[in-house]
Amino acid sequence: MTAESPSVSGSQPQPVLSPLTSAAIFLVVTIAPGGEEKTREVLADLRSLERAFGFGVPEAALSCVAGIGSDAWDRLFDHPRPIGLHPFRPLKGSRHSAVATPGDLLLHLRATRLDLCFGLATEIMNRLRGAVILEDEVQGFKYLDARDLLGFVDGTENPVGTAAREAVLIGEEDPGHAGGSYVIVQKYLHDLDAWNALPVEAQEQIIGRTKATNLELDEAASHAKLNTVLGPDGEEQKILRDNMPFGSPGRGEFGTYFIGYARTPEVTERMLRHMFLGTPDATHDRILDFSTAVTGTLFYAPSADFLDHLPALPTSDAKAGVLAAD
Ligand code: HEM
């Protein structure tokens, strides 16, 4: 893509491009009726809360990105919608489904220390008390040398530097939302007993990389190949993933929290269609035979500048219209 860098046009992004960290908390909430004002206050204060908790420990790289769900946009802002914002589109494949689950607000907290994510998340949720309903909360951790719980190094093919900015940040195609980004999350639960019963070579064919050495394999039906998507110009279209393992050994729960940022949701949606509906090379992504998507939501993460200068609340007439349509 050739659009100018959003920072050139003056819109500072939220910290969507922050480096991979060893700890993360993902919070997804819906906004209770009447909770709009409190939610807006937290959005407006987010950067200063992040500074308060992170200032003394810059090496911990504490960051928090907020994403807004499609239904919440018209309740929160009297402002044109980002062109790509819509509810997550569920998919029903012959074997596996990508479910759509509720979410008005995503908070993606990252740091090299879980305690900092925890402190900031606690303060944010205290401020949101009474205004929101918790839909999902996951605490993720870095596992070994950046592996998922399937045992493979996860994140290798993420774009970096300018390529990451261009893949992830909206530019001139939606100038009113320059510096924003679309984000799709899905919580996957793994059947690790079944996965671990597979020979390592079979696992490697499914993922498309070697397990110990993380080298790429030429496997047309692999997860990596199904997620290599090309644009009209033949160029690879990238997203920025920050998947995190999570789980509870005591309860036998093991998962991957998938999070993918992109400049347009279409790229991630194409990847999901390949995984769940298949391609000429594969009926579906076999990673799904061992991993069940139990959530799925699409959000829009506005620029930091947008949060600093929030547009007005919709007028009561507009809100009444939204409520009547519910
Ligand atoms: C690659 C794991 C879900 C998109 C990979 C790799 C692993 C992995 C181990 C190879 C190394 C790398 O480049 O990161 C997982 C697990 C998932 C999951 C455990 C959940 C159960 C998804 C989903 C998407 C996705 C839902 C997109 C909607 C990608 C992409 C690549 C990739 C774009 C890089 C492909 C390439 O250019 O080689 N994933 N993934 N993944 N995954 Fe996933």
Side-chain angles (χ1 to χ4, degrees):
M1 289 187 200
T2 54
E4 72 174 347
S5 160
S7 64
V8 175
S9 66
S11 286
Q12 193 58 35
Q14 291 192 70
V16 295
L17 296 161
S18 68
L20 298 186
T21 55
S22 41
I25 295 183
F26 304 91
L27 285 160
V28 173
V29 301
T30 43
I31 302 170
E36 295 83 2
E37 193 59 74
K38 255 196 195 177
T39 304
R40 286 167 51 90
E41 281 165 20
V42 166
L43 288 172
D45 274 356
L46 211 53
R47 292 281 78 77
S48 96
L49 288 172
E50 183 191 85
R51 267 196 304 279
F53 279 83
F55 181 73
V57 274
E59 66 283 3
L62 176 67
S63 69
C64 177
V65 174
I68 316 292
S70 179
D71 292 349
W73 186 269
D74 307 306
R75 291 173 62 193
L76 291 171
F77 312 120
D78 182 13
H79 192 77
R81 294 170 64 86
I83 50 181
L85 182 59
H86 54 257
F88 181 83
R89 296 181 176 137
L91 297 170
K92 195 154 177 46
S94 54
R95 294 278 289 279
H96 303 290
S97 298
V99 292
T101 51
D104 289 334
L105 182 67
L106 166 75
L107 295 159
H108 178 202
L109 300 101
R110 291 180 270 190
T112 59
R113 286 172 37 185
L114 181 60
D115 62 332
L116 292 171
C117 297
F118 192 89
L120 180 53
T122 303
E123 180 62 28
I124 292 172
M125 290 311 287
N126 277 341
R127 292 181 182 218
L128 287 173
R129 186 161 305 139
V132 299
I133 298 142
L134 180 68
E135 298 292 339
D136 193 27
E137 174 174 13
V138 168
Q139 297 190 4
F141 55 87
K142 180 177 170 187
Y143 180 57
L144 306 175
D145 48 341
R147 287 172 190 267
D148 52 47
L149 295 182
L150 303 178
F152 284 77
V153 175
D154 196 346
T156 313
E157 288 299 328
N158 263 335
V160 292
T162 310
R165 295 183 70 80
E166 297 225 325
V168 161
L169 300 178
I170 295 169
E172 65 202 4
E173 69 276 22
D174 192 0
H177 291 288
S181 187
Y182 295 93
V183 48
I184 286 182
V185 296
Q186 283 183 305
K187 177 164 142 178
Y188 284 91
L189 295 178
H190 300 304
D191 181 348
L192 274 198
D193 288 341
W195 176 255
N196 290 329
L198 287 182
V200 167
E201 296 73 41
Q203 297 179 352
E204 291 177 332
Q205 281 163 6
I206 292 173
I207 299 291
R209 297 190 90 94
T210 57
K211 195 169 187 179
T213 49
N214 189 30
L215 296 172
E216 239 179 302
L217 296 173
D218 193 17
E219 279 287 334
S222 69
H223 174 71
K225 281 285 189 300
L226 292 180
N227 282 299
T228 305
V229 300
L230 305 180
D233 50 4
E235 276 222 359
E236 208 175 316
Q237 296 188 302
K238 296 265 190 182
I239 63 171
L240 188 68
R241 294 164 289 133
D242 197 357
N243 293 358
M244 277 287 184
F246 67 89
S248 163
R251 286 196 290 275
E253 183 183 278
F254 302 96
T256 296
Y257 200 90
F258 166 81
I259 181 161
Y261 288 97
R263 181 176 186 156
T264 155
E266 282 163 32
V267 177
T268 320
E269 287 170 341
R270 263 183 84 193
M271 293 173 176
L272 287 170
R273 283 199 299 276
H274 288 182
M275 288 178 66
F276 286 85
L277 308 182
T279 66
D281 292 316
T283 55
H284 64 279
D285 188 331
R286 284 167 300 153
I287 215 173
L288 300 175
D289 295 339
F290 307 89
S291 316
T292 305
V294 295
T295 71
T297 319
L298 188 155
F299 299 92
Y300 168 68
S303 69
D305 291 342
F306 181 96
L307 297 185
D308 282 347
H309 306 96
L310 283 185
L313 257 179
T315 60
S316 48
D317 284 358
K319 261 202 289 186
V322 170
L323 289 177
D326 278 349

